[in-house]
DNA sequence: CGCTAACCGAGACGGTACGTCAAGTCTTAAC
DNA sequence: GTTAAGACTTGACGTACCGTCTCGGTTAGCG
């Protein structure tokens, strides 16, 4: 049975270090010291640093946003992307995501796990798209996977490269372009 | 004066290790041993592992593709994105790019440098867009920076997450959606 | 808690390397490899090479000779110096002492520590001298510190320069001269 | 032909570094940089750091003191030891000697050379003793080598250990004890 | 008076060892 | 029987100098 005290202290320490020192500044050793917990305790419950950070990230999000269903593609995407871009307002989440993506590049085992989590987020978008397809809002033959890439790609790209500001203000334009692009060449 | 022998041996060793063992498998020590060169020689010319990998990547590309100029946005983007997606056909480049992006997340100093390189690639796209804007192919008020994100974002996202195949075959659809999205709601 | 296995292996390896390769031939890296121990383990318990060698030296001596107390200055000094010169019969100790003295010249931090150890040895002589003074065997006003230098100085000098043989055979003459010199111009 | 400029600059730089940073702070690389001279130039004329420091030491002494000859052992020794202890008044010489003695412990090749230099200094004392023996001032059977150790030993010991002040003020007592000790047992 | 040999600076090179860091595994003892 | 404490191996880091070496660019003095 995982001791709630220890586990919470570890997650809190992880979150604190993430905020203060960035992903690189988070070390299992540092977390253990900060949480006043033995290193072995951390390893008992989390198998690696990225797994720990992933958990800390999930705790920072808490409530799962329900899949939006407004009846139109634009409406659904607006809700979804606005929420997505809102991540940028939370340094902890930004740092966590950037670090996790980095880790996924370096550690194939974690990449697998990370991909699973990413897929769960993509599924939400693919459901939105499926409903839109049913309504005839999508050009026939649209690949939902590549469409999802169009939703997440620019967000992640900007998040990772950091060349420009990121925030919910971008959602409107993003959705406009998405809808236009996905509807296809209207007049043929 | 940098000795050509040493420098080439180092870059070759870096490339070889990248291919064989991935970005994580590249270590300065390993490169030095492989290249039969002293560690200090590597450090003399490259200030860090990412700088070294970046150089090895550049050497693997060599010829700079000229900015395409076909007279239409679709034409230019098709050329550009096809070339971009072709990266996926070279494991060395894929690994290099993934590792460099990872490193940029972990090391702020390198992030800066990496951003510089990214910007140089973005500039090519922004020039294409500027010409398209002059021709009236873009909706007025289009933000070229965000538009560039739409070009690179999906590519990088798929490259980094690895959830689906990547290759020049995607270029056609990508361009179609971009052109549609960027032209805007033509008839209102 | 220091693991006895590791610690003993390290000291044994240090002693072995001292014998085989001299003080210069002792490196932390070499000791670690020889002791089949991680370098960090050596560093955990000894803060530097001289500290390690000092410890190895102490282990090689083990039993502390009791302060001699024969009732006469000549008797005490004979016992003490004989023991002192006997060091020359143990190559390991000779190398250790020469190396430690060398290190004390090069590293001020270690010099401090070394001085402490030297002082502990000097104290033995100063106690002998104090008792002799009580018995009236010393010229009044004799400086015990400088007198101790007269005991240790020639020994160390010959040990370090290596210009002539060193061994317990020298003790008799040394003591004769010391006693004569320290008694002073008694009868004028 | 050795360029006088370069050679002097090197010796001056060595002396300066010796004073400022101690023997350990002298590195061939540092000397070369300081003297604005190529490293290879230093190596051309001095085969090692101790050789260089030895040279710098010799330059700091300049005139060779003539062997004292006052007609009495006490007189000769007083002149000699006073001069000897005066070394302590020159930080450069102190640091040089300490460093050279250290080096002699670590580098057998240099030890040889160093021993030669030491012997030249010992010879002066042995000449003084030979004359004293002729005059009957020494107990018969006195070993001039061990007697010389008695002259130099305490000086070097204090110089190297640094446990107490060193200076010409010590010469008087030292000589008194030497003369007494060397003359032998009053009644004999 | 011009040639050539030496000496010069600059600095790259292969090495060795340093001391540090964090990772992840393992053992011990207490609660 | 879970924990805390913390020692352990491993592997790479980046640094400092070492002593050797090649490279052109002066300078001197010999012929």
């Amino acid at each position: 049975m995982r001791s709630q005290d220890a586990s919470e202290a570890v997650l809190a320490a992880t979150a604190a270090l993430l905020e203060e020192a960035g992903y690189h500044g988070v070390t299992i050793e540092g977390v253990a010291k900060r949480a006043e917990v033995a290193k072995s305790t951390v390893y008992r419950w989390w198998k690696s640093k990225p797994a720990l950070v992933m958990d800390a990230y999930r705790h920072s999000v808490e409530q799962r946003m329900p899949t939006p269903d407004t009846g139109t593609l634009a409406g659904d995407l607006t809700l979804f992307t606005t929420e997505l871009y809102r991540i940028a307002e939370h340094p902890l989440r930004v740092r966590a995501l950037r670090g996790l993506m980095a880790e996924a590049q370096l550690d194939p085992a974690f990449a697998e796990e990370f991909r699973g989590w990413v897929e769960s987020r993509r599924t939400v978008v693919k459901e939105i798209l499926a409903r839109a397809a049913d309504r005839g809002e999508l050009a026939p033959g649209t690949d939902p996977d590549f469409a999802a890439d169009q939703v997440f790609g620019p967000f992640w790209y900007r998040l990772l490269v950091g060349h420009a500001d990121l925030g919910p203000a971008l959602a409107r334009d993003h959705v406009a372009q998405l809808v236009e692009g996905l509807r296809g060449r209207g007049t043929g």
Side-chain angles (χ1 to χ4, degrees), chain A residues 125-149:
Chain A
V125 169
K126 287 194 275 189
E127 283 167 9
I128 290 173
L129 292 169
R131 280 200 304 274
D134 287 349
R135 285 187 232 105
E137 291 185 272
L138 262 49
T142 299
D143 173 4
D145 264 305
F146 194 59
D149 292 357

PDB file of all heavy atoms in Angstrom, chain A residues 125-149:
ATOM      1  N   VAL A 125      -9.719  14.417 -30.206  1.00  0.00           N
ATOM      2  CA  VAL A 125      -9.844  15.162 -31.458  1.00  0.00           C
ATOM      3  C   VAL A 125     -10.444  14.275 -32.542  1.00  0.00           C
ATOM      4  O   VAL A 125     -11.288  14.717 -33.331  1.00  0.00           O
ATOM      5  CB  VAL A 125      -8.467  15.688 -31.900  1.00  0.00           C
ATOM      6  CG1 VAL A 125      -8.536  16.227 -33.331  1.00  0.00           C
ATOM      7  CG2 VAL A 125      -8.003  16.776 -30.943  1.00  0.00           C
ATOM      8  N   LYS A 126     -10.024  13.036 -32.553  1.00  0.00           N
ATOM      9  CA  LYS A 126     -10.531  12.169 -33.615  1.00  0.00           C
ATOM     10  C   LYS A 126     -12.037  11.922 -33.461  1.00  0.00           C
ATOM     11  O   LYS A 126     -12.752  11.755 -34.457  1.00  0.00           O
ATOM     12  CB  LYS A 126      -9.738  10.862 -33.653  1.00  0.00           C
ATOM     13  CG  LYS A 126      -8.326  11.108 -34.224  1.00  0.00           C
ATOM     14  CD  LYS A 126      -7.590   9.850 -34.617  1.00  0.00           C
ATOM     15  CE  LYS A 126      -6.878   9.226 -33.439  1.00  0.00           C
ATOM     16  NZ  LYS A 126      -5.987   8.116 -33.819  1.00  0.00           N
ATOM     17  N   GLU A 127     -12.511  11.933 -32.235  1.00  0.00           N
ATOM     18  CA  GLU A 127     -13.955  11.804 -32.038  1.00  0.00           C
ATOM     19  C   GLU A 127     -14.689  13.036 -32.567  1.00  0.00           C
ATOM     20  O   GLU A 127     -15.737  12.934 -33.209  1.00  0.00           O
ATOM     21  CB  GLU A 127     -14.267  11.618 -30.548  1.00  0.00           C
ATOM     22  CG  GLU A 127     -13.982  10.198 -30.066  1.00  0.00           C
ATOM     23  CD  GLU A 127     -13.977  10.087 -28.546  1.00  0.00           C
ATOM     24  OE1 GLU A 127     -14.362  11.085 -27.876  1.00  0.00           O
ATOM     25  OE2 GLU A 127     -13.565   9.029 -28.025  1.00  0.00           O
ATOM     26  N   ILE A 128     -14.108  14.182 -32.279  1.00  0.00           N
ATOM     27  CA  ILE A 128     -14.704  15.411 -32.806  1.00  0.00           C
ATOM     28  C   ILE A 128     -14.787  15.341 -34.334  1.00  0.00           C
ATOM     29  O   ILE A 128     -15.807  15.684 -34.949  1.00  0.00           O
ATOM     30  CB  ILE A 128     -13.856  16.633 -32.377  1.00  0.00           C
ATOM     31  CG1 ILE A 128     -14.011  16.869 -30.871  1.00  0.00           C
ATOM     32  CG2 ILE A 128     -14.234  17.877 -33.177  1.00  0.00           C
ATOM     33  CD1 ILE A 128     -13.088  17.936 -30.311  1.00  0.00           C
ATOM     34  N   LEU A 129     -13.698  14.875 -34.913  1.00  0.00           N
ATOM     35  CA  LEU A 129     -13.644  14.813 -36.370  1.00  0.00           C
ATOM     36  C   LEU A 129     -14.624  13.781 -36.925  1.00  0.00           C
ATOM     37  O   LEU A 129     -15.257  13.995 -37.970  1.00  0.00           O
ATOM     38  CB  LEU A 129     -12.219  14.472 -36.829  1.00  0.00           C
ATOM     39  CG  LEU A 129     -11.185  15.575 -36.567  1.00  0.00           C
ATOM     40  CD1 LEU A 129      -9.773  15.051 -36.797  1.00  0.00           C
ATOM     41  CD2 LEU A 129     -11.462  16.791 -37.463  1.00  0.00           C
ATOM     42  N   ALA A 130     -14.759  12.677 -36.195  1.00  0.00           N
ATOM     43  CA  ALA A 130     -15.679  11.645 -36.669  1.00  0.00           C
ATOM     44  C   ALA A 130     -17.109  12.194 -36.726  1.00  0.00           C
ATOM     45  O   ALA A 130     -17.845  11.972 -37.692  1.00  0.00           O
ATOM     46  CB  ALA A 130     -15.610  10.432 -35.739  1.00  0.00           C
ATOM     47  N   ARG A 131     -17.468  12.922 -35.674  1.00  0.00           N
ATOM     48  CA  ARG A 131     -18.816  13.501 -35.689  1.00  0.00           C
ATOM     49  C   ARG A 131     -18.967  14.504 -36.814  1.00  0.00           C
ATOM     50  O   ARG A 131     -20.001  14.563 -37.493  1.00  0.00           O
ATOM     51  CB  ARG A 131     -19.099  14.173 -34.344  1.00  0.00           C
ATOM     52  CG  ARG A 131     -19.499  13.183 -33.251  1.00  0.00           C
ATOM     53  CD  ARG A 131     -20.225  13.897 -32.114  1.00  0.00           C
ATOM     54  NE  ARG A 131     -19.419  14.982 -31.583  1.00  0.00           N
ATOM     55  CZ  ARG A 131     -18.487  14.848 -30.632  1.00  0.00           C
ATOM     56  NH1 ARG A 131     -18.263  13.662 -30.085  1.00  0.00           N
ATOM     57  NH2 ARG A 131     -17.773  15.871 -30.242  1.00  0.00           N
ATOM     58  N   ALA A 132     -17.906  15.290 -37.033  1.00  0.00           N
ATOM     59  CA  ALA A 132     -17.972  16.274 -38.120  1.00  0.00           C
ATOM     60  C   ALA A 132     -18.108  15.577 -39.467  1.00  0.00           C
ATOM     61  O   ALA A 132     -18.849  16.040 -40.352  1.00  0.00           O
ATOM     62  CB  ALA A 132     -16.711  17.154 -38.090  1.00  0.00           C
ATOM     63  N   ALA A 133     -17.417  14.469 -39.603  1.00  0.00           N
ATOM     64  CA  ALA A 133     -17.511  13.720 -40.861  1.00  0.00           C
ATOM     65  C   ALA A 133     -18.937  13.238 -41.060  1.00  0.00           C
ATOM     66  O   ALA A 133     -19.496  13.339 -42.163  1.00  0.00           O
ATOM     67  CB  ALA A 133     -16.543  12.535 -40.843  1.00  0.00           C
ATOM     68  N   ASP A 134     -19.555  12.752 -39.999  1.00  0.00           N
ATOM     69  CA  ASP A 134     -20.944  12.302 -40.091  1.00  0.00           C
ATOM     70  C   ASP A 134     -21.840  13.433 -40.551  1.00  0.00           C
ATOM     71  O   ASP A 134     -22.797  13.223 -41.300  1.00  0.00           O
ATOM     72  CB  ASP A 134     -21.424  11.814 -38.713  1.00  0.00           C
ATOM     73  CG  ASP A 134     -20.782  10.471 -38.357  1.00  0.00           C
ATOM     74  OD1 ASP A 134     -20.157   9.859 -39.255  1.00  0.00           O
ATOM     75  OD2 ASP A 134     -20.871  10.042 -37.179  1.00  0.00           O
ATOM     76  N   ARG A 135     -21.534  14.605 -40.085  1.00  0.00           N
ATOM     77  CA  ARG A 135     -22.346  15.765 -40.459  1.00  0.00           C
ATOM     78  C   ARG A 135     -21.988  16.292 -41.856  1.00  0.00           C
ATOM     79  O   ARG A 135     -22.571  17.278 -42.303  1.00  0.00           O
ATOM     80  CB  ARG A 135     -22.111  16.906 -39.468  1.00  0.00           C
ATOM     81  CG  ARG A 135     -22.771  16.713 -38.134  1.00  0.00           C
ATOM     82  CD  ARG A 135     -22.617  17.991 -37.285  1.00  0.00           C
ATOM     83  NE  ARG A 135     -22.065  17.696 -35.972  1.00  0.00           N
ATOM     84  CZ  ARG A 135     -20.820  17.945 -35.599  1.00  0.00           C
ATOM     85  NH1 ARG A 135     -19.985  18.522 -36.454  1.00  0.00           N
ATOM     86  NH2 ARG A 135     -20.414  17.604 -34.399  1.00  0.00           N
ATOM     87  N   GLY A 136     -20.968  15.703 -42.460  1.00  0.00           N
ATOM     88  CA  GLY A 136     -20.560  16.169 -43.792  1.00  0.00           C
ATOM     89  C   GLY A 136     -19.724  17.424 -43.761  1.00  0.00           C
ATOM     90  O   GLY A 136     -19.589  18.133 -44.756  1.00  0.00           O
ATOM     91  N   GLU A 137     -19.112  17.700 -42.620  1.00  0.00           N
ATOM     92  CA  GLU A 137     -18.312  18.936 -42.550  1.00  0.00           C
ATOM     93  C   GLU A 137     -16.885  18.742 -43.054  1.00  0.00           C
ATOM     94  O   GLU A 137     -16.111  19.689 -43.073  1.00  0.00           O
ATOM     95  CB  GLU A 137     -18.272  19.456 -41.108  1.00  0.00           C
ATOM     96  CG  GLU A 137     -19.613  19.991 -40.623  1.00  0.00           C
ATOM     97  CD  GLU A 137     -19.508  20.614 -39.247  1.00  0.00           C
ATOM     98  OE1 GLU A 137     -19.652  19.890 -38.233  1.00  0.00           O
ATOM     99  OE2 GLU A 137     -19.264  21.844 -39.168  1.00  0.00           O
ATOM    100  N   LEU A 138     -16.553  17.488 -43.333  1.00  0.00           N
ATOM    101  CA  LEU A 138     -15.176  17.228 -43.769  1.00  0.00           C
ATOM    102  C   LEU A 138     -15.150  16.801 -45.234  1.00  0.00           C
ATOM    103  O   LEU A 138     -16.066  16.120 -45.696  1.00  0.00           O
ATOM    104  CB  LEU A 138     -14.577  16.084 -42.948  1.00  0.00           C
ATOM    105  CG  LEU A 138     -13.687  16.451 -41.773  1.00  0.00           C
ATOM    106  CD1 LEU A 138     -14.328  17.498 -40.899  1.00  0.00           C
ATOM    107  CD2 LEU A 138     -13.343  15.207 -40.964  1.00  0.00           C
ATOM    108  N   ALA A 139     -14.112  17.222 -45.911  1.00  0.00           N
ATOM    109  CA  ALA A 139     -13.919  16.729 -47.273  1.00  0.00           C
ATOM    110  C   ALA A 139     -13.828  15.225 -47.213  1.00  0.00           C
ATOM    111  O   ALA A 139     -13.197  14.672 -46.304  1.00  0.00           O
ATOM    112  CB  ALA A 139     -12.638  17.317 -47.857  1.00  0.00           C
ATOM    113  N   PRO A 140     -14.426  14.550 -48.161  1.00  0.00           N
ATOM    114  CA  PRO A 140     -14.340  13.092 -48.142  1.00  0.00           C
ATOM    115  C   PRO A 140     -12.889  12.650 -48.279  1.00  0.00           C
ATOM    116  O   PRO A 140     -12.102  13.288 -48.967  1.00  0.00           O
ATOM    117  CB  PRO A 140     -15.167  12.681 -49.359  1.00  0.00           C
ATOM    118  CG  PRO A 140     -15.317  13.902 -50.189  1.00  0.00           C
ATOM    119  CD  PRO A 140     -15.173  15.082 -49.298  1.00  0.00           C
ATOM    120  N   GLY A 141     -12.551  11.581 -47.595  1.00  0.00           N
ATOM    121  CA  GLY A 141     -11.187  11.062 -47.674  1.00  0.00           C
ATOM    122  C   GLY A 141     -10.217  11.720 -46.726  1.00  0.00           C
ATOM    123  O   GLY A 141      -9.024  11.458 -46.767  1.00  0.00           O
ATOM    124  N   THR A 142     -10.708  12.594 -45.885  1.00  0.00           N
ATOM    125  CA  THR A 142      -9.825  13.245 -44.918  1.00  0.00           C
ATOM    126  C   THR A 142      -9.256  12.209 -43.956  1.00  0.00           C
ATOM    127  O   THR A 142      -9.991  11.404 -43.397  1.00  0.00           O
ATOM    128  CB  THR A 142     -10.608  14.304 -44.105  1.00  0.00           C
ATOM    129  OG1 THR A 142     -11.106  15.283 -45.016  1.00  0.00           O
ATOM    130  CG2 THR A 142      -9.711  14.939 -43.060  1.00  0.00           C
ATOM    131  N   ASP A 143      -7.940  12.270 -43.768  1.00  0.00           N
ATOM    132  CA  ASP A 143      -7.289  11.336 -42.841  1.00  0.00           C
ATOM    133  C   ASP A 143      -7.349  11.936 -41.432  1.00  0.00           C
ATOM    134  O   ASP A 143      -6.727  12.964 -41.165  1.00  0.00           O
ATOM    135  CB  ASP A 143      -5.832  11.150 -43.266  1.00  0.00           C
ATOM    136  CG  ASP A 143      -5.039  10.336 -42.263  1.00  0.00           C
ATOM    137  OD1 ASP A 143      -5.628   9.853 -41.268  1.00  0.00           O
ATOM    138  OD2 ASP A 143      -3.818  10.178 -42.472  1.00  0.00           O
ATOM    139  N   PRO A 144      -8.107  11.279 -40.537  1.00  0.00           N
ATOM    140  CA  PRO A 144      -8.280  11.883 -39.209  1.00  0.00           C
ATOM    141  C   PRO A 144      -6.964  11.977 -38.440  1.00  0.00           C
ATOM    142  O   PRO A 144      -6.789  12.879 -37.629  1.00  0.00           O
ATOM    143  CB  PRO A 144      -9.250  10.922 -38.513  1.00  0.00           C
ATOM    144  CG  PRO A 144      -9.204   9.660 -39.289  1.00  0.00           C
ATOM    145  CD  PRO A 144      -8.815  10.021 -40.677  1.00  0.00           C
ATOM    146  N   ASP A 145      -6.059  11.053 -38.710  1.00  0.00           N
ATOM    147  CA  ASP A 145      -4.791  11.111 -37.992  1.00  0.00           C
ATOM    148  C   ASP A 145      -3.987  12.340 -38.392  1.00  0.00           C
ATOM    149  O   ASP A 145      -3.459  13.048 -37.551  1.00  0.00           O
ATOM    150  CB  ASP A 145      -3.973   9.834 -38.252  1.00  0.00           C
ATOM    151  CG  ASP A 145      -4.187   8.835 -37.135  1.00  0.00           C
ATOM    152  OD1 ASP A 145      -3.965   9.228 -35.972  1.00  0.00           O
ATOM    153  OD2 ASP A 145      -4.580   7.680 -37.412  1.00  0.00           O
ATOM    154  N   PHE A 146      -3.916  12.527 -39.684  1.00  0.00           N
ATOM    155  CA  PHE A 146      -3.153  13.698 -40.119  1.00  0.00           C
ATOM    156  C   PHE A 146      -3.869  14.977 -39.714  1.00  0.00           C
ATOM    157  O   PHE A 146      -3.232  15.990 -39.390  1.00  0.00           O
ATOM    158  CB  PHE A 146      -2.911  13.646 -41.628  1.00  0.00           C
ATOM    159  CG  PHE A 146      -1.873  14.624 -42.077  1.00  0.00           C
ATOM    160  CD1 PHE A 146      -0.586  14.569 -41.556  1.00  0.00           C
ATOM    161  CD2 PHE A 146      -2.189  15.624 -42.990  1.00  0.00           C
ATOM    162  CE1 PHE A 146       0.376  15.478 -41.949  1.00  0.00           C
ATOM    163  CE2 PHE A 146      -1.228  16.536 -43.385  1.00  0.00           C
ATOM    164  CZ  PHE A 146       0.059  16.472 -42.871  1.00  0.00           C
ATOM    165  N   ALA A 147      -5.192  14.921 -39.714  1.00  0.00           N
ATOM    166  CA  ALA A 147      -5.949  16.093 -39.255  1.00  0.00           C
ATOM    167  C   ALA A 147      -5.625  16.401 -37.801  1.00  0.00           C
ATOM    168  O   ALA A 147      -5.441  17.554 -37.406  1.00  0.00           O
ATOM    169  CB  ALA A 147      -7.446  15.839 -39.418  1.00  0.00           C
ATOM    170  N   ALA A 148      -5.530  15.349 -36.977  1.00  0.00           N
ATOM    171  CA  ALA A 148      -5.189  15.578 -35.575  1.00  0.00           C
ATOM    172  C   ALA A 148      -3.797  16.199 -35.459  1.00  0.00           C
ATOM    173  O   ALA A 148      -3.545  17.048 -34.599  1.00  0.00           O
ATOM    174  CB  ALA A 148      -5.254  14.268 -34.806  1.00  0.00           C
ATOM    175  N   ASP A 149      -2.898  15.758 -36.331  1.00  0.00           N
ATOM    176  CA  ASP A 149      -1.565  16.357 -36.320  1.00  0.00           C
ATOM    177  C   ASP A 149      -1.642  17.854 -36.560  1.00  0.00           C
ATOM    178  O   ASP A 149      -0.847  18.626 -36.031  1.00  0.00           O
ATOM    179  CB  ASP A 149      -0.686  15.735 -37.412  1.00  0.00           C
ATOM    180  CG  ASP A 149      -0.361  14.277 -37.118  1.00  0.00           C
ATOM    181  OD1 ASP A 149      -0.763  13.784 -36.050  1.00  0.00           O
ATOM    182  OD2 ASP A 149       0.297  13.647 -37.965  1.00  0.00           O
TER     183      ASP A 149
END
